[in-house]
């Protein structure tokens, strides 16, 4: 008989982040021991004292996790993963490119979110996600680290799902602020438009392109640091000062060695197989979707006026992922199958390659000098997850959080008295 554990694992593991869940479990101890069910019924004179105690206990957990991350980084560097404690406790934990000041970050988020004041609601997934984001941002603005490249996802990160980056978007000022600091800005989106004119990217990203063109504050070199990697890792465009817009960069100028190994036949074989699985899901589940095949991608998008439900989209993603993983072409070509919220796509390539290609193209930028901001970090069926292998990351829930994170980033530099 299937155990409850296996059911939970099979149904939910792809939607969970093991590191965040593990920290949540550690913080649950102090929370439970100091919960106060009577607090809202009668006056509890000890509330403030309890808050102070709980704050200290949460901070102490964070201090321990901070040390475990340092231990993990040391063992990564020494090539002794079997000795790393964190890897033992959270086997799926990824690579850390920098240390994380988790205690300081906890105090910042506690002040904003009143985490330790709560007597009935325990520290949540979002509390911890935001603590980790702040820790990563603090670390990248510390004196040891030099940030050289910020890559950002498009849908849900820079703009609402399916919308465009219009001139009124507050994120534009943040992106200009990064360029002004000589930091390259790469928009790494799954949206793939093979046309080398780049017209669709120009339309969707018009707000930032026009702002860069109109800026009298940015140097020509700084303007050239605006790049767009489309189709995850398939089409590169760069801002041209002469053309005052994006121009296509020939693949030979940026393609990574590992991508050179994929020939067109094997890429099309992969997409044929993906299309076959997606099409049979559509038939079996009677989905309100239309299958679309592109040069480097295949997807199912909702028929106009109809919707596909989340569970069905996830079924398609998990099904196609399993089929491709277990096929010869899926072993030869890197691919990314993901649930885009209202659609499902399988792309040739992924955001690890997209970010790496930008790092190489810009002259050899390292993971600890790169920050990727995205909204899709679940381990399966999400497209920003792979960027974790190439860069430090910030996980946002909506475009408003992106603006907050970038404002926080620049805020730490300003506080440190940077000279622009
Ligand atoms: P991102 O969030 O910027 O990576 O964009 C992902 C969204 O782009 C998906 O949810 C799709 O709706 C859309 N999209 C359009 N064309 C493609 C494609 O060729 N591959 C993957 N996603 C695409
Ligand atoms: Mg997205």
């Amino acid at each position: 008989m299937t155990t409850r554990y296996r059911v939970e694992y099979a149904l939910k593991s792809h939607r969970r982040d093991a590191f965040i869940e593990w920290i949540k479990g550690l913080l649950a101890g102090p929370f439970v021991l100091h919960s106060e069910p009577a607090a809202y019924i009668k006056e509890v004179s000890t509330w403030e004292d309890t808050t102070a105690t709980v704050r200290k206990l949460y901070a102490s957990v964070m201090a321990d996790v901070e040390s475990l991350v340092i231990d993990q980084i040391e063992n990564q560097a020494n090539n002794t993963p079997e000795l790393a404690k964190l890897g033992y406790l959270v086997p799926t934990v990824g690579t850390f490119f920098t240390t994380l000041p988790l205690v300081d970050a906890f105090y910042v988020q506690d002040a904003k979110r009143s985490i330790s004041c709560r007597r009935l609601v325990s520290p949540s997934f979002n509390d911890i996600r935001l603590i980790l984001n702040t820790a990563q941002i603090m670390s990248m603005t510390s004196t040891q680290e030099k940030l050289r490249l910020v890559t950002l996802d498009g849908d849900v990160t820079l703009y609402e799902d399916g919308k465009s980056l219009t001139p009124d978007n507050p994120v534009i000022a943040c992106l200009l602020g990064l360029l002004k600091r000589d930091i390259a800005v790469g928009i790494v989106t799954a949206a793939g438009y093979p046309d080398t004119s780049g017209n669709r990217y120009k339309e969707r990203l018009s707000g930032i392109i026009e702002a860069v063109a109109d800026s009298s504050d940015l140097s020509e070199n700084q303007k050239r640091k605006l790049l767009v990697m489309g189709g995850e890792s398939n089409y590169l465009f760069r801002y041209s000062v002469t053309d005052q817009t994006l121009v296509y960069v020939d693949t030979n100028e940026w393609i990574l060695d590992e991508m050179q190994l994929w020939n067109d036949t094997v890429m099309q074989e992969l997409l044929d197989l993906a299309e076959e699985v997606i099409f049979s899901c559509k038939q079996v589940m009677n989905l309100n979707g239309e299958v679309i095949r592109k040069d480097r991608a295949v997807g199912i998008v909702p028929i106009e006026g109809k919707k596909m439900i989340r569970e069905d989209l996830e079924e398609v993603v998990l099904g196609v992922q399993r089929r491709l993983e277990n096929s010869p072409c899926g072993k030869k070509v890197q691919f990314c199958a993901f649930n885009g919220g209202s659609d499902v796509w399988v792309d040739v390539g992924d955001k690890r390659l997209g970010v790496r290609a930008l790092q190489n193209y810009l002259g050899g930028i390292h993971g600890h000098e790169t920050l990727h901001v995205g909204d899709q970090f679940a381990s399966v069926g999400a497209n920003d997850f792979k960027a974790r292998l190439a860069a430090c990351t910030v996980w946002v829930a909506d475009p408003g959080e992106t603006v907050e994170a970038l404002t926080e980033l620049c805020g730490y530099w300003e506080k440190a008295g940077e000279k622009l």
Side-chain angles (χ1 to χ4, degrees):
M1 199 178 93
T2 310
T3 63
R4 181 77 198 143
Y5 173 78
R6 287 198 71 77
V7 171
E8 281 282 305
Y9 183 80
L11 295 182
K12 307 239 181 78
S13 70
H14 61 283
R15 280 203 256 131
R16 292 221 169 113
D17 181 287
F19 187 43
I20 294 183
E21 293 299 330
W22 176 72
I23 297 175
K24 199 170 135 183
L26 297 177
L27 296 179
F31 171 77
V32 169
L33 294 173
H34 295 273
S35 61
E36 198 84 78
Y40 291 91
I41 301 171
K42 61 184 181 103
E43 197 174 317
V44 175
S45 58
T46 53
W47 194 319
E48 275 182 21
D49 294 344
T50 310
T51 296
T53 307
V54 169
R55 184 175 291 133
K56 236 201 229 151
L57 291 168
Y58 287 166
S60 144
V61 168
M62 288 304 180
D64 285 338
V65 179
E66 196 173 312
S67 307
L68 289 172
V69 171
I70 294 172
D71 174 72
Q72 181 78 9
I73 292 173
E74 283 168 3
N75 282 297
Q76 270 168 209
N78 296 337
N79 208 12
T80 50
E82 70 284 4
L83 302 182
K85 278 191 229 166
L86 192 54
Y88 173 73
L89 296 166
V90 187
T92 55
V93 79
T95 309
F96 289 90
F97 292 97
T98 67
T99 56
L100 295 174
L102 288 167
V103 177
D104 291 348
F106 163 70
Y107 285 126
V108 168
Q109 287 299 335
D110 192 36
K112 285 189 189 170
R113 301 175 66 82
S114 315
I115 302 168
S116 53
C117 302
R118 298 186 213 135
R119 294 284 76 84
L120 301 177
V121 177
S122 62
S124 68
F125 172 89
N126 277 332
D127 293 329
I128 298 158
R129 177 178 63 80
L130 291 165
I131 293 169
L132 289 170
N133 285 354
T134 290
Q136 189 60 76
I137 287 167
M138 285 178 151
S139 156
M140 309 225 63
T141 48
S142 72
T143 46
Q144 304 97 290
E145 300 295 341
K146 171 108 183 83
L147 183 57
R148 296 175 63 198
L149 168 64
V150 173
T151 56
L152 303 109
D153 161 65
D155 294 60
V156 185
T157 301
L158 284 175
Y159 36 82
E160 299 295 340
D161 198 16
K163 299 286 188 310
S164 297
L165 213 175
T166 47
D168 55 347
N169 190 324
V171 82
I172 292 173
C174 304
L175 301 182
L176 294 178
L178 294 173
L179 292 170
K180 185 67 195 156
R181 289 171 172 88
D182 291 317
I183 296 166
V185 171
I187 298 172
V188 180
T189 171
Y193 313 116
D195 171 15
T196 56
S197 74
N199 283 342
R200 192 74 185 104
Y201 293 112
K202 288 177 195 167
E203 261 169 51
R204 290 196 74 188
L205 304 172
S206 65
I208 182 66
I209 299 170
E210 283 163 21
V212 168
D214 294 345
S215 168
S216 51
D217 208 23
L218 295 176
S219 70
E220 293 194 346
N221 253 344
Q222 288 168 338
K223 291 187 176 191
R224 277 190 215 102
K225 288 192 173 175
L226 175 67
L227 298 119
V228 176
M229 177 61 86
E232 315 235 10
S233 54
N234 283 301
Y235 317 106
L236 179 63
F237 294 83
R238 181 172 201 167
Y239 184 83
S240 153
V241 175
T242 326
D243 300 75
Q244 300 220 343
T245 188
L246 295 178
V247 292
Y248 183 71
V249 183
D250 194 87
T251 312
N252 293 322
E253 287 186 47
W254 58 267
I255 195 163
L256 298 169
D257 290 347
E258 60 184 296
M259 296 164 80
Q260 304 257 28
L261 302 172
W262 314 339
N263 61 43
D264 206 51
T265 315
V266 71
M267 288 193 275
Q268 294 312 318
E269 219 178 283
L270 179 105
L271 293 176
D272 286 345
L273 190 55
E275 185 172 345
E276 200 184 301
V277 179
I278 293 174
F279 192 76
S280 54
C281 287
K282 170 180 151 61
Q283 300 294 93
V284 171
M285 291 191 273
N286 201 16
L287 299 177
N288 289 319
E290 182 192 352
V291 179
I292 294 183
R293 175 75 176 256
K294 295 186 182 177
D295 183 32
R296 294 288 170 88
V298 57
I300 180 163
V301 300
I303 296 167
E304 199 159 349
K306 303 272 182 180
K307 205 175 156 271
M308 291 181 281
I309 61 168
R310 179 177 56 75
E311 290 83 347
D312 290 350
L313 294 171
E314 284 193 8
E315 177 75 16
V316 178
V317 175
L318 295 177
V320 76
Q321 173 86 30
R322 274 182 84 78
R323 179 67 178 272
L324 295 183
E325 268 171 3
N326 289 295
S327 72
C329 52
K331 293 193 171 81
K332 287 186 204 141
V333 179
Q334 298 286 315
F335 65 91
C336 180
F338 72 96
N339 170 1
S342 58
D343 49 19
V344 170
W345 286 92
V346 176
D347 293 312
V348 169
D350 59 39
K351 291 196 184 181
R352 172 184 72 91
L353 297 165
V355 173
R356 283 248 164 100
L358 285 177
Q359 291 169 333
N360 268 12
Y361 179 67
L362 293 167
I365 296 178
H366 297 283
H368 66 93
E369 299 167 318
T370 311
L371 182 68
H372 179 78
V373 186
D375 66 290
Q376 289 215 342
F377 284 101
S379 61
V380 180
N383 67 26
D384 293 299
F385 178 70
K386 288 279 182 75
R388 277 200 182 150
L389 297 165
C392 304
T393 51
V394 158
W395 183 348
V396 296
D398 56 46
E401 280 195 8
T402 305
V403 173
E404 268 180 49
L406 296 181
T407 307
E408 191 179 354
L409 185 77
C410 296
Y412 291 129
W413 281 314
E414 281 160 18
K415 218 163 146 190
E418 64 173 352
K419 297 221 170 14
L420 276 185

